[in-house]
Amino acid sequence: MNEETTRRLRQAAEAHQPDRARILARMERGAAVPAAARRARPKARSWPRAVLAALVTAGILTTGGLAVAGIVGSPAPSAAPTKAAVPPPTATRSAPSSPSPSPSPDSTTARPGPPTATTAPGAPHPTASAGSRSQNGPLWAQGSVDPHSTVYWGQSNLVLKTAQQLTSLTLELRIAETGGVQYTGTWRTLPSDDFTVSHQQIGGALVYRWVLKPGRTVPAGQYEFAAQYNHATGPRDATGDSFRVDARGSSGPSAVWGGFAPTP
């Protein structure tokens, strides 16, 4: 090789600015060409062209090697961060929820009792006494449950006897609140205009009261008073019911009291 050719090759190599992207692309295309295609290229070339091609190839390889070395030596561009694969959530079987505890009887709210009415000041109000006393002086009384009472309605009867005329009489029947007790009426065998009649809830009982009006009298004889009421369906226990009678005659005051027994 003469000096002129060497000088020109050196000048060409010094002036050459390698295109790294293009070189890499050519290398990739060369690697991608099938072996059969490379074998199909003609091998016969003229000597001058072969020599020139070898020299050019040597120069290209020299500068390309430097370029490749520079590329290899330079830090590779950071790859775009890849999103880490998130494993699919593991399906968990929920434990069956336990049934809500049924409220116990102790946790229920107690129902309020019936309202309690008070007696107006000065109104006659006999005080119930323990036990019973069916006779006192000219008075005699007996209470009973009417035989026509039903499973939802009742009547309590009081038979009163007096051996002398009465100038004052207060009679009271107390029907205990055994469930659903409600007033439905009253009646008596004495004239209705002679009495002030009332009913009200007092101390857990429905209280019926008859008071003889001032200036009126009750002749000696036998009389009957009755209190009527509804109640909760079913047989009703009357053991909590009671009566009391306070009266005054020519012999002075007297009082009787007791309960209500079922009529035989």
Side-chain angles (χ1 to χ4, degrees), residues 222-256:
Q222 178 175 318
Y223 308 99
E224 190 171 355
F225 295 78
Q228 299 172 334
Y229 46 88
N230 288 333
H231 58 79
T233 304
R236 181 180 178 275
D237 185 3
T239 56
D241 301 346
S242 62
F243 72 87
R244 181 180 174 96
V245 180
D246 287 82
R248 178 179 290 272
S250 57
S251 61
S254 56
V256 290

Side-chain angles (χ1 to χ4, degrees), residues 43-60:
K43 296 182 180 180
R45 294 184 180 179
S46 61
W47 182 83
R49 291 180 64 184
V51 172
L52 182 60
L55 293 176
V56 173
T57 302
I60 292 174

Side-chain angles (χ1 to χ4, degrees), residues 10-219:
R10 183 178 298 110
Q11 291 177 354
E14 292 175 356
H16 178 70
Q17 297 295 329
D19 188 346
R20 291 183 293 177
R22 188 173 181 181
I23 293 171
L24 291 175
R26 290 182 64 183
M27 293 175 65
E28 291 176 358
R29 285 197 301 272
V33 175
R38 289 196 296 269
R39 286 196 299 268
R41 294 177 181 176
K43 296 182 180 180
R45 294 184 180 179
S46 61
W47 182 83
R49 291 180 64 184
V51 172
L52 182 60
L55 293 176
V56 173
T57 302
I60 292 174
L61 291 175
T62 301
T63 56
L66 295 175
V68 172
I71 294 172
V72 174
S74 62
S78 59
T82 58
K83 187 175 181 181
V86 179
T90 303
T92 58
R93 185 177 181 182
S94 302
S97 57
S98 58
S100 301
S102 301
S104 63
D106 291 338
S107 65
T108 57
T109 305
R111 295 180 58 190
T116 301
T118 57
T119 305
H125 185 187
T127 303
S129 302
S132 64
R133 184 170 71 178
S134 60
Q135 187 171 3
N136 179 228
L139 287 181
W140 178 91
Q142 183 177 31
S144 64
V145 177
D146 193 278
H148 298 99
S149 298
T150 67
V151 294
Y152 55 86
W153 176 88
Q155 177 175 300
S156 296
N157 300 327
L158 180 67
V159 176
L160 175 66
K161 296 179 183 180
T162 176
Q164 61 183 230
Q165 178 178 281
L166 302 176
T167 57
S168 172
L169 175 64
T170 299
L171 187 147
E172 185 178 272
L173 273 64
R174 301 177 65 90
I175 308 301
E177 176 58 73
T178 55
V181 175
Q182 296 179 345
Y183 168 86
T184 59
T186 62
W187 60 265
R188 81 222 56 78
T189 55
L190 286 167
S192 59
D193 292 341
D194 289 354
F195 289 86
T196 299
V197 184
S198 64
H199 67 277
Q200 57 186 327
Q201 293 279 352
I202 300 177
L206 179 58
V207 179
Y208 298 75
R209 184 176 296 127
W210 293 263
V211 179
L212 185 67
K213 293 179 180 179
R216 308 294 175 90
T217 60
V218 175

